[in-house]
Amino acid sequence: MALSSSGVATATGKEKFTHPSGLYVLFFTEMWERFSYYGMRAILILFMVAGPAKGGMGLADAEAGAIYGIYTSAVYFLSLPGGWIADNFLGQKKSIWYGGIIIMIGHIILAIPGSDGIFFLGLATVAIGTGLLKPNISSVVGELYPEGGARRDAGFSIFYMGINLGGAIGMLTVGYLGEKIGWHYGFGAAAVGMLLGIIIFRIFSEQYLKEYGLLKKQVKSEEIQIEKKSSNSLITIVMAIVSVLFLAILQWAGYINIFTATGLAQSMGIIIVSIALFYFIFIFVAGGLTGIEKKRLFVMFILFLSAAIFWAGYEQGGSTLNTFSQRYTDRDIVGWEMPASWLQGLQSIYVIMFAPIFAAVWLFLNKRNMNPSAPVKFGVGLVVLGVGFLFMVFASQIVITGAKASALYLIVAYLFSVLGELCVSPVGLSFFTKLAPQRYVSQLMGIWFVATSLGTLIAGLAAGVFDEKNVANMPTNFMYIVYFTAGFGLIILLFSKQIKKWMGGVE
């Protein structure tokens, strides 16, 4: 790595065609963390809707979907304070380490059969740990490539492949154990996966990340750090007070009921939207940004909205499509019924297959000055996702006749969702690290995951709409997802040139 005349790090010689060794430490750490997360997620809603006779909780679809949405939303929403804690107190290495330990403890709690209270305690513990680990490990990947460019995009695509390798293995392993052996055996396997992840990080992080200066907090001066802590503490206090008051008013007026799972999920959605808006506005107005940084922040807000809408559709894979697989899909293979959660695992398998191809395509196009801008990639991703849900419209039209749909519909729908994902998620991870002012990088990475939080919450709430009492409405409900995702994608494509101008030269 060398410095240009402007002081910006650039890749030289061999570095242009290779990746830092630290990438692979983070690759395997995240792979096992995602094994634990996606493995457990694969059986979560199935465990909640299964009757007590089958070892489940016996919850109604709407309640189980709301709890699923609250949990998956909290996992990503807590990335915002997780990034803040790393920036101001622990640093990235300790945040990743402690986060992994907390996640493992949460899965161990879930593996213990017991009351609903123990189950919810386990979910909360996993969410807290993931919020601490997730934004910081992604930020470190970005810092391995200070020169930016297509090489960083390719690095994030490789990192993303590790995420999905862990997800695929996790869903197959935990899914089989949970559905065929016992739910709590599946939860226990997730704990083992996280243990392997923290062991790898502990052994290899010192050797392969220290050379990049990533194990210490980068603080210019004690005075700046004190000022930053004070301002961020004020933000946190103000957002908390405003959110509580707003929810109290809505509860008093009868618009929500925070004492039900659905009402609590709706309340969480209001909090997420309010905090995200307040955070963007605060940094824009009082963050000390230059004119170019403000334009880039506005682009980040647009990408935030796009990501939230994308994940609201994509995350139906763990909720709506998962129960569709269990109830309405023919999964018979020569007399053996495949676990419903295995079809969900196709998303990760597809990513493993196509991520290297996408990474190579981005590099190929970049060398010829044809690499699409981030807004174009986001727009295409949303449109492709919408097209995938058309197949679920066709599948649900078969279901309302009383027959089961072929698994091919889900196989194709998951394929389109992944093709859209590869245009959005690794690209979004990379561009948030590029567009964010350096002093806010971990916190704005947290905001990126808050978009996922909002999307997964919506996905959980949507699962309650697709219950067994509303089968006749299923085609229409799937069609709404097509309109919403593909429609917003077309709007992004329409204004992509103007959005690119606001990026201020970031490629």
Side-chain angles (χ1 to χ4, degrees):
M1 199 68 63
L3 293 178
S4 68
S5 58
S6 61
V8 177
T10 59
T12 60
K14 184 178 178 181
E15 290 180 331
K16 292 182 179 179
F17 305 101
T18 61
H19 292 280
S21 54
L23 174 66
Y24 302 103
V25 177
L26 302 173
F27 176 101
F28 286 107
T29 302
E30 182 74 341
M31 183 191 80
W32 286 112
E33 187 274 329
R34 292 290 91 179
F35 172 99
S36 70
Y37 173 74
Y38 282 112
M40 189 274 278
R41 195 199 71 164
I43 62 173
L44 180 57
I45 200 164
L46 300 180
F47 167 69
M48 288 191 288
V49 299
K54 296 182 178 181
M57 298 178 70
L59 300 180
D61 284 3
E63 187 176 7
I67 293 170
Y68 173 91
I70 292 169
Y71 163 70
T72 54
S73 177
V75 162
Y76 292 100
F77 180 72
L78 291 173
S79 294
L80 184 57
W84 179 78
I85 289 171
D87 279 348
N88 292 280
F89 297 104
L90 293 179
Q92 292 167 327
K93 180 190 175 184
K94 288 184 179 179
S95 295
I96 294 169
W97 170 248
Y98 290 133
I101 292 174
I102 295 170
I103 291 169
M104 181 182 67
I105 293 172
H107 287 302
I108 290 173
I109 294 172
L110 289 170
I112 302 172
S115 65
D116 290 353
I118 292 176
F119 173 75
F120 294 131
L121 175 62
L123 290 183
T125 305
V126 174
I128 292 169
T130 308
L132 193 57
L133 181 148
K134 189 65 177 166
N136 294 298
I137 198 168
S138 298
S139 295
V140 172
V141 173
E143 291 182 23
L144 292 173
Y145 302 90
E147 80 281 1
R151 183 168 171 265
R152 180 188 280 191
D153 291 350
F156 268 105
S157 291
I158 293 171
F159 178 70
Y160 205 69
M161 189 167 62
I163 290 174
N164 286 275
L165 178 61
I169 298 171
M171 281 186 267
L172 293 174
T173 304
V174 177
Y176 179 82
L177 289 173
E179 291 189 62
K180 299 296 185 179
I181 308 299
W183 301 111
H184 295 285
Y185 286 98
F187 294 139
V192 173
M194 190 65 255
L195 174 62
L196 293 174
I198 59 179
I199 288 174
I200 289 171
F201 186 76
R202 184 71 173 183
I203 294 174
F204 297 107
S205 61
E206 280 288 338
Q207 179 180 355
Y208 293 108
L209 292 177
K210 191 172 184 179
E211 59 184 293
Y212 298 95
L214 299 175
L215 300 187
K216 296 180 181 179
K217 293 181 287 184
Q218 305 297 318
V219 181
K220 292 184 178 179
S221 69
E222 184 178 352
E223 290 77 13
I224 292 177
Q225 182 71 347
I226 292 172
E227 180 181 352
K228 189 176 176 184
K229 287 181 182 180
S230 299
S231 62
N232 284 323
S233 297
L234 179 60
I235 296 173
T236 304
I237 294 171
V238 171
M239 287 192 296
I241 293 174
V242 171
S243 298
V244 170
L245 289 175
F246 189 43
L247 288 177
I249 293 172
L250 292 176
Q251 176 75 19
W252 174 78
Y255 289 105
I256 60 173
N257 182 4
I258 63 173
F259 300 107
T260 65
T262 302
L264 187 59
Q266 293 169 344
S267 302
M268 191 169 179
I270 293 169
I271 291 174
I272 291 172
V273 172
S274 300
I275 288 179
L277 284 174
F278 186 89
Y279 196 83
F280 273 111
I281 293 171
F282 182 88
I283 293 180
F284 186 87
V285 174
L289 305 184
T290 64
I292 293 177
E293 288 176 331
K294 287 184 177 180
K295 290 180 180 179
R296 289 175 178 171
L297 184 68
F298 185 65
V299 174
M300 295 179 78
F301 178 70
I302 294 173
L303 297 183
F304 171 88
L305 290 179
S306 302
I309 292 172
F310 179 86
W311 292 118
Y314 182 92
E315 286 293 330
Q316 302 290 326
S319 56
T320 305
L321 300 189
N322 205 11
T323 53
F324 187 96
S325 173
Q326 184 189 54
R327 295 168 178 170
Y328 309 118
T329 301
D330 181 5
R331 294 177 280 112
D332 183 77
I333 302 175
V334 195
W336 178 74
E337 188 175 54
M338 176 178 62
S341 56
W342 278 19
L343 282 171
Q344 184 186 166
L346 284 171
Q347 288 179 310
S348 293
I349 294 172
Y350 285 144
V351 172
I352 295 167
M353 294 169 56
F354 290 103
I357 297 173
F358 272 69
V361 168
W362 299 148
L363 286 172
F364 176 83
L365 293 175
N366 185 71
K367 290 178 182 179
R368 289 157 179 77
N369 295 318
M370 297 170 59
N371 193 20
S373 65
V376 170
K377 292 175 181 176
F378 267 64
V380 170
L382 282 162
V383 171
V384 170
L385 176 68
V387 171
F389 272 96
L390 277 175
F391 290 92
M392 295 312 302
V393 174
F394 303 147
S396 58
Q397 288 172 342
I398 294 174
V399 170
I400 61 177
T401 66
K404 284 193 173 184
S406 167
L408 287 174
Y409 288 101
L410 277 172
I411 290 170
V412 176
Y414 280 131
L415 172 62
F416 274 84
S417 71
V418 166
L419 295 178
E421 177 188 11
L422 289 171
C423 291
V424 172
S425 190
V427 174
L429 279 170
S430 178
F431 269 84
F432 254 57
T433 62
K434 295 176 186 179
L435 292 168
Q438 187 61 36
R439 58 196 178 279
Y440 295 112
V441 64
S442 286
Q443 294 172 63
L444 285 169
M445 281 307 300
I447 283 287
W448 166 255
F449 290 114
V450 169
T452 310
S453 171
L454 181 58
T456 55
L457 183 65
I458 295 171
L461 287 169
V465 177
F466 288 85
D467 64 16
E468 293 178 290
K469 298 178 182 178
N470 295 314
V471 174
N473 296 327
M474 197 179 295
T476 301
N477 291 333
F478 276 125
M479 199 66 206
Y480 284 144
I481 299 175
V482 175
Y483 292 145
F484 198 56
T485 54
F488 195 84
L490 291 173
I491 293 173
I492 294 295
L493 288 173
L494 183 63
F495 293 98
S496 60
K497 289 185 178 180
Q498 180 59 53
I499 297 172
K500 183 179 179 181
K501 291 179 181 179
W502 293 331
M503 290 165 60
V506 170
E507 299 291 343

